[in-house]
Amino acid sequence: MSNQELEVLGQTQECCPGLLTAPLDEEQATELSKVFKALADPVRLRLLSMIASRAGGEVCVCDLTPAFDLSQPTISHHLKHLRQAGLIDCERRGTWVYYWLLPEMTDRLAGILTRPAGQPAQTPAGAAS
């Protein structure tokens, strides 16, 4: 992901606070929604979890496919969405493709969704707690 794209996600040091500290502008919301859209599919979320939790930091597509009752082209389609969202990257080695997590993006998402330290939770009056 380029620096400009990261700026859009609100993660540069000099600008753009997280989602919970200030409203997103239209461009930030559009770019961030692409990442959340990639994560909104249960298969993609499972794939990301399998890749992220893999000992050694990477996993071969041949180890991912058997975990699903889906065809290899469908798994590849889901992996493509995760790559386009900047969540994972890959490298072809012979006939196999190996995937790994891009922790910068998951760290950025965590930062965007984390309340600043010491900020109390705000519950509207009359809301159930």
Side-chain angles (χ1 to χ4, degrees):
M1 209 165 232
S2 72
N3 286 338
Q4 183 179 12
E5 289 172 313
L6 297 178
E7 287 176 12
V8 169
L9 290 177
Q11 294 304 299
T12 59
Q13 295 296 329
E14 60 272 1
C15 75
C16 310
L19 176 70
L20 303 181
T21 58
L24 297 173
D25 66 30
E26 185 176 345
E27 188 176 359
Q28 290 171 318
T30 299
E31 291 301 315
L32 188 55
S33 71
K34 292 175 186 175
V35 178
F36 284 116
K37 184 176 181 180
L39 291 173
D41 184 283
V43 171
R44 292 181 201 148
L45 199 51
R46 284 186 62 208
L47 283 166
L48 183 69
S49 176
M50 291 171 72
I51 294 166
S53 64
R54 183 65 171 222
E58 65 181 24
V59 61
C60 178
V61 70
C62 63
D63 295 323
L64 296 171
T65 306
F68 298 89
D69 189 23
L70 299 169
S71 68
Q72 185 277 325
T74 301
I75 296 297
S76 292
H77 170 79
H78 286 295
L79 290 166
K80 176 183 171 185
H81 281 281
L82 293 172
R83 279 193 334 271
Q84 289 174 335
L87 292 160
I88 62 172
D89 204 354
C90 65
E91 176 181 79
R92 178 171 293 280
R93 299 181 196 153
T95 58
W96 298 113
V97 179
Y98 289 80
Y99 292 88
W100 58 88
L101 179 73
L102 294 175
E104 302 84 17
M105 179 56 77
T106 53
D107 291 350
R108 286 184 187 97
L109 289 175
I112 287 169
L113 295 173
T114 300
R115 253 180 318 120
Q119 181 180 348
Q122 297 178 0
T123 306
S129 47

